Amino acid sequence: MSADRTGGGAGGPVRADLRKEAGAAPGGGSAGRDGGNGGGRSAGGDGDRRPATPSWIRELDMALTVYPQVLLTGNVRDQYLLPDDHAAGSSATLAPYSLTGVIESVCTARGYGALAFVDQVNDRITLLRLSATPDQVPEVIREFAARDEKWRRGGGRPDGGNPDGDDDEPELLDRLRDAMVGVVQHPGPPIALVVPYAGRLGSPQAPVAGEAARLFAAAEELGHTARPVQGATAVTPYNTVFWMVERQEELPMEFAVGSRAVRVINVPQPPHDQRLAAARHVVGGLARYQAATGGPALTGAETATATRALADSSHGMGSSEVMAIGRMALDRGLPVQRLDEAARLYRIGVLDNPWATAALRERITAGEEFLNGKVIGQPHAVRRTLEIFMRSAAGLNGAQASSSPSRPRGTLFLSGPTGVGKTELAKGVAEMILGKDARPIRFDMSEFAEEHARDRLIGAPPGFVGHDAGGELTNAVRANPMSVLLFDEIDKANPRLFDLFLQILEDGRLTDGRGATVYFTECVLIFTSNLGITAPVVGEAPRARPSDSGGAAAGGAPAGGAAPGGPAPGGAEPAFVPAAADASADASADASADASGGAVPRAVRPVLNRHDDPVLVRQALREAFDRFFNDQIRRPELRNRFGDNFIPMDFMQEKWVPRILDKAIASVASRVLEVHGAELTLADDAWEVLRVEATRRLDHGGRGVLTAVESALVNPLAKEVFRNPPRRGERIEVVAVEGDGDGEGYRLEVERWRG
């Protein structure tokens, strides 16, 4: 007889009093009335409560008397911490067991006589006798066990073939079918058959044929014809067939998932109390090793703190992964106090943590000057940005949400007019956090307006073209786990994509089209939008009003005009909707048109400009942000995930023009020096012409200043340099800028001499 325990776990099967832990009555029977809140208090020194026996184990115990077949799905490849076989019933000592070990323990408690396991690695069926004598085991199982024992002793082949040349041994599917028939029809004591990798017995995408078809047809029929058998308890169980698969969609099409004879039990990821038990198991072992090797002994408070930190940082992981983190910490020489770093290393595979370095703290400390040099004219946005990253560097990001410790390191939602530095701020953040040459990974969300654009980000599902290529977003983060991700013009994305962002912001992870998990825990996410700057016009399109500085666009508020939504000068009501375009405005306009019998002209125009009070502008942007998520895409939960990370950016003011202008001119001079080896300077008169032209285009923000430099300086300078290439060391001074951008263009008067 083979006694091979496939997956019995450390310390052998869990003792029979496990069912008492699960709330079952002594001597057999169904689960107790207490609903399975069992699990006594820990006998350890920290006084923590021992985790309750998981509900799925109690459900499994119940199913044995009601269903002839049980399908276990979900977290079936994990390890589960249960009372140690060698510990007294009142002890809190736990040991890890595989799922087959859990099945063995529950079946032992129910009085099962034996268990048979399908071993697809060695192409055999093994037997574990519990209480049955050899004569109480089905004959077909005894034969398979005898072949297995012969092979183990070197007298046969792993595939079950005859060493004397008789190769008529049936294939594994045939043997599995025979074993299933023999088990289900056995009169008693109860026997169980365990099929650990049921999804590998046929294709989930095409009908099975031959022996596989016969196997699943027999399984369905046996499920309906099976009857309870004689057992050691008052309520007798079935001869049970256990199927195990991670995802139901992996099962062959012929598997009768919906059959009344099959109980489907989902094995979930371990909740916090189970992870806490696994963390206590890991921390206890590491603390003992640390003390034995000359390290500092931990106090009870330090041990409890390390345990909680490991349980929190392993959110979304299985118990086996929590224990693997302990092995990794031991391998990397990390002390118990730094197990959260080991969890981070295990999760994303990044050895260096820039958030914990003194260098990053120094860069954030000097960040106000640095970012204000990158993004001119946005001191308020810079200060708000730095507050968020100070929180991340201090390790308090997401501290208010204990259920989601895996959220991204930082999230920004930048809203404001075009050309004011939203993208430049994202670039500055990437450089500040990741280093001088770092750049954000940019996604232009206007390219993701179609419904199928979701597949571009996470990859096409199985069976579709491009499935093996993965997604643009998931591939980028997998290649660079520490990234600054820039989602530009997020309001133009298809609404279906916002479900992805909800998962990223809440759990810090995504599952791509290939089923692999990608973690965003170390990423910074930056979203940009210009919501609230323009709105649909309802009613007659107003005429353009002149402005001395060009600040008010056609139909816009006049210089020093009213705040958005306020009365127009003279007490007249505004003829526009002071908000981002939304469905309600369009609907009301359609209703007005139908009622009057005439068409209502529509246009889109600015409702905010640089002459408005900055405080009111920020308020209007926030209101537009709320309306977009609440009313337009109906995702208020996503708006809540952004929380206070919404950062409005101000209109560009005239006082910032000289700084932007000097920076742009310096960039042009640097390029001339790099390419031609010549030195470029501007006289005061020429600089003043550029300033006036830049101010005239200030409604386009900082980008308008750059456009003015391109039109009035770069273009005529390019003609000059093209016609008369400068020599190295030559000095070129622009003494005057003449002309305009509306007629013949600009001309430069330059003086040149050797340096």
Side-chain angles (χ1 to χ4, degrees):
M1 179 197 72
S2 172
D4 183 18
R5 286 172 162 173
T6 59
V14 181
R15 53 190 298 117
D17 61 5
L18 171 63
R19 290 186 57 250
K20 298 178 185 178
E21 297 270 345
S30 61
R33 296 177 183 174
D34 62 0
N37 294 326
R41 291 192 177 274
S42 171
D46 59 1
D48 287 325
R49 181 178 177 85
R50 184 167 57 185
T53 301
S55 60
W56 66 269
I57 295 183
R58 303 196 300 271
E59 183 182 0
L60 175 63
D61 178 70
M62 174 275 295
L64 298 183
T65 62
V66 186
Y67 295 90
Q69 298 188 31
V70 176
L71 172 62
L72 293 154
T73 69
N75 186 35
V76 297
R77 311 300 175 201
D78 201 0
Q79 290 183 311
Y80 317 94
L81 285 174
L82 299 171
D84 192 345
D85 182 42
H86 304 290
S90 61
S91 173
T93 305
L94 303 177
Y97 292 87
S98 66
L99 184 54
T100 52
V102 173
I103 292 173
E104 176 187 334
S105 302
V106 175
C107 289
T108 299
R110 280 289 181 183
Y112 277 62
L115 278 75
F117 298 92
V118 177
D119 181 356
Q120 296 194 47
V121 174
N122 295 303
D123 198 33
R124 55 197 174 103
I125 297 175
T126 63
L127 174 67
L128 172 63
R129 273 196 305 113
L130 299 175
S131 61
T133 64
D135 293 339
Q136 292 176 318
V137 177
E139 181 179 359
V140 64
I141 301 297
R142 291 203 306 269
E143 292 177 358
F144 291 145
R147 288 195 191 97
D148 178 50
E149 187 69 15
K150 184 177 180 181
W151 170 74
R152 288 166 62 85
R153 294 178 179 179
R157 296 191 340 219
D159 61 1
N162 192 323
D164 299 329
D166 183 5
D167 291 327
D168 293 333
E169 182 70 24
E171 295 294 331
L172 179 62
L173 288 178
D174 259 345
R175 281 178 282 153
L176 175 56
R177 179 181 177 277
D178 293 341
M180 184 169 55
V181 173
V183 165
V184 173
Q185 296 180 349
H186 181 63
I191 305 292
L193 175 65
V194 182
V195 187
Y197 289 88
R200 301 295 181 262
L201 300 177
S203 170
Q205 299 176 356
V208 296
E211 301 307 325
R214 293 181 62 219
L215 170 67
F216 293 114
E220 184 174 6
E221 183 175 346
L222 288 170
H224 292 290
T225 58
R227 295 293 179 267
V229 297
Q230 180 182 357
T233 59
V235 180
T236 57
Y238 285 85
N239 290 320
T240 311
V241 180
F242 294 95
W243 309 90
M244 295 161 54
V245 67
E246 291 184 79
R247 297 190 300 272
Q248 287 191 37
E249 55 266 28
E250 294 178 358
L251 289 168
M253 297 173 62
E254 286 72 16
F255 191 94
V257 175
S259 171
R260 294 181 180 179
V262 179
R263 178 73 174 194
V264 180
I265 298 177
N266 179 62
V267 182
Q269 292 288 340
H272 188 268
D273 66 328
Q274 296 288 330
R275 297 200 314 276
L276 196 64
R280 192 178 299 116
H281 185 80
V282 169
V283 169
L286 285 177
R288 289 190 294 272
Y289 176 82
Q290 183 172 305
T293 54
L298 299 182
T299 65
E302 290 174 329
T303 300
T305 299
T307 299
R308 287 192 299 270
L310 178 55
D312 291 344
S313 60
S314 59
H315 175 72
M317 296 186 186
S319 297
S320 60
E321 294 176 290
V322 175
M323 290 180 275
I325 290 169
R327 293 193 294 273
M328 179 175 291
L330 187 62
D331 176 67
R332 305 298 302 178
L334 294 174
V336 175
Q337 297 90 331
R338 295 173 59 189
L339 279 175
D340 55 339
E341 289 189 29
R344 175 183 167 277
L345 172 60
Y346 180 88
R347 190 188 297 273
I348 62 173
V350 174
L351 296 177
D352 300 321
N353 181 9
W355 298 99
T357 63
L360 178 60
R361 297 178 69 91
E362 292 175 0
R363 291 200 297 270
I364 293 178
T365 301
E368 188 165 359
E369 180 180 355
F370 174 77
L371 292 180
N372 279 323
K374 291 283 185 180
V375 185
I376 298 172
Q378 301 295 335
H380 174 266
V382 167
R383 282 194 301 271
R384 292 281 294 108
T385 299
L386 288 174
E387 289 173 3
I388 292 171
F389 289 110
M390 286 178 184
R391 183 177 65 201
S392 297
L396 297 179
N397 185 56
Q400 75 284 0
S402 58
S403 61
S404 302
S406 301
R407 289 178 173 179
R409 285 286 187 172
T411 303
L412 305 177
F413 194 106
L414 306 178
S415 181
T418 181
V420 296
K422 298 186 292 291
T423 302
E424 285 301 314
L425 182 56
K427 293 178 180 178
V429 166
E431 191 171 336
M432 180 181 69
I433 294 172
L434 302 177
K436 186 174 181 180
D437 297 330
R439 292 291 183 271
I441 300 174
R442 182 176 179 271
F443 297 89
D444 187 342
M445 301 312 293
S446 63
E447 299 177 1
F448 295 85
E450 302 298 330
E451 186 171 355
H452 59 76
R454 175 189 177 101
D455 295 343
R456 282 185 56 189
L457 290 179
I458 65 173
F464 287 78
V465 176
H467 164 64
D468 294 335
E472 295 177 20
L473 175 59
T474 50
N475 286 349
V477 176
R478 185 180 289 111
N480 299 283
M482 301 184 61
S483 302
V484 174
L485 304 174
L486 174 59
F487 300 98
D488 221 355
E489 298 184 277
I490 186 63
D491 52 297
K492 296 181 180 178
N494 188 277
R496 284 193 63 204
L497 268 64
F498 288 93
D499 294 331
L500 299 180
F501 296 126
L502 180 63
Q503 185 177 350
I504 294 173
L505 295 178
E506 179 62 23
D507 297 327
R509 60 178 179 171
L510 273 182
T511 301
D512 65 13
R514 293 173 290 189
T517 300
V518 179
Y519 292 96
F520 293 75
T521 307
E522 302 303 318
C523 291
V524 172
L525 276 63
I526 301 178
F527 301 82
T528 72
S529 169
N530 58 6
L531 288 167
I533 300 301
T534 59
V537 177
V538 179
E540 183 180 355
R543 299 175 182 176
R545 287 180 293 184
S547 171
D548 55 350
S549 63
E573 290 297 324
F576 57 88
V577 178
D582 57 25
S584 60
D586 290 342
S588 62
D590 291 337
S592 300
D594 294 339
S596 63
V600 178
R602 281 189 183 85
V604 175
R605 69 176 184 188
V607 295
L608 298 172
N609 64 53
R610 65 187 179 91
H611 301 288
D612 292 324
D613 186 337
V615 174
L616 296 178
V617 169
R618 295 168 193 167
Q619 180 182 349
L621 293 176
R622 179 72 200 208
E623 291 173 355
F625 169 80
D626 291 341
R627 274 192 301 272
F628 174 76
F629 285 102
N630 290 347
D631 303 330
Q632 190 167 334
I633 66 170
R634 302 185 187 279
R635 293 290 194 280
E637 66 278 11
L638 183 57
R639 180 209 63 201
N640 291 339
R641 295 307 187 279
F642 285 112
D644 200 31
N645 295 340
F646 173 82
I647 300 178
M649 300 188 72
D650 298 328
F651 279 91
M652 190 59 60
Q653 300 299 320
E654 187 173 343
K655 66 179 179 178
W656 302 110
V657 169
R659 285 188 58 185
I660 302 175
L661 184 60
D662 286 341
K663 186 177 179 181
I665 293 173
S667 179
V668 175
S670 176
R671 180 67 63 87
V672 171
L673 181 63
E674 177 184 352
V675 176
H676 299 281
E679 180 182 352
L680 176 69
T681 58
L682 266 74
D684 292 343
D685 290 345
W687 184 92
E688 181 62 21
V689 172
L690 293 181
R691 187 195 66 78
V692 171
E693 177 62 19
T695 302
R696 190 169 70 88
R697 305 189 187 203
L698 200 54
D699 284 336
H700 300 290
R703 192 171 291 118
V705 178
L706 301 182
T707 302
V709 173
E710 181 181 38
S711 300
L713 176 62
V714 176
N715 289 344
L717 178 65
K719 295 178 183 178
E720 172 70 21
V721 170
F722 179 79
R723 293 168 180 165
N724 302 295
R727 302 175 183 177
R728 290 204 167 269
E730 188 174 6
R731 294 183 60 187
I732 304 175
E733 182 179 19
V734 179
V735 296
V737 178
E738 301 172 350
D740 57 64
D742 300 326
E744 296 294 328
Y746 289 93
R747 299 178 300 279
L748 300 183
E749 181 181 340
V750 300
E751 293 182 357
R752 303 169 63 159
W753 61 90
R754 295 299 300 262

